[in-house]
Amino acid sequence: MYDFQADIDQPKSQFYRELAAAADALTAGEPDAVANMANVAALVWQLVPELNWAGFYRAIGEELVLGPFCGRPACIRIPFGSGVCGTAALNGESQLVADVHAFPGHIACDAASQSELVVPVVRDDTVVAVIDLDSPRAGRFDEEDLAGIEALAGILAARI
Ligand code: SME
């Protein structure tokens, strides 16, 4: 059993350092990508507040395919360029969306979602997956959340 904790009452940058350390410890030395994505999705779900979905889409060919996640069942395949996730995958750039209803082509997998953060996981200059966080609160994610999840993506790049 793992019992990772990160105090949400501390500055966000420190919170994300602890989250990254926990993710590093969970995935170090484990070569199985599914196991690593599953554990990190569960870790993020457990520690990051105000989420209604947290998980991975994997880049396979020209589309994203649902990977390990926590939350409601979600759409399975997203073409590159579609929605928030597909935009991040196509451009290789993180998407910080304060209001999903204002994002052209947003794919509503869970009607509760109001804001979203999607970060590509890049290995050898190729997007291999995206990390997707959804929140029921508009404007939930800021630049520190972005930096924290990008750091997580960096740790995972060689492990998924
Ligand atoms: N909203 C995403 C789809 C994935 S779900 O949020 C889990 C999008 O527009 O790409």
Side-chain angles (χ1 to χ4, degrees):
M1 188 191 84
Y2 297 106
D3 186 19
F4 291 107
Q5 313 218 339
D7 182 2
I8 193 59
D9 293 329
Q10 62 190 336
K12 261 192 196 181
S13 54
Q14 180 59 26
F15 168 81
Y16 277 110
R17 271 195 289 277
E18 293 182 10
L19 181 72
D24 183 42
L26 265 175
T27 58
E30 174 50 63
D32 191 277
V34 172
N36 288 337
M37 287 187 278
N39 256 342
V40 171
L43 183 75
V44 170
W45 183 254
Q46 179 200 339
L47 296 180
V48 179
E50 293 188 283
L51 301 182
N52 61 301
W53 205 89
F56 292 84
Y57 279 89
R58 299 158 298 136
I60 299 177
E62 290 301 306
E63 63 184 0
L64 292 169
V65 182
L66 184 63
F69 70 95
C70 297
R72 291 193 177 189
C75 40
I76 298 168
R77 292 177 186 270
I78 300 174
F80 277 25
S82 290
V84 186
C85 292
T87 300
L90 182 67
N91 301 337
E93 289 172 5
S94 298
Q95 304 292 312
L96 200 173
V97 181
D99 174 7
V100 294
H101 305 295
F103 189 96
H106 166 254
I107 300 164
C109 290
D110 181 343
S113 298
Q114 300 297 323
S115 59
E116 184 160 1
L117 175 59
V118 180
V119 172
V121 180
V122 179
R123 182 168 61 236
D124 299 332
D125 296 325
T126 301
V127 175
V128 295
V130 300
I131 302 173
D132 182 17
L133 305 187
D134 285 34
S135 173
R137 179 163 72 80
R140 157 69 182 82
F141 304 105
D142 62 17
E143 293 295 327
E144 287 188 296
D145 296 298
L146 174 65
I149 300 302
E150 286 184 340
L152 194 58
I155 291 168
L156 294 176
R159 299 180 183 179
I160 67 171

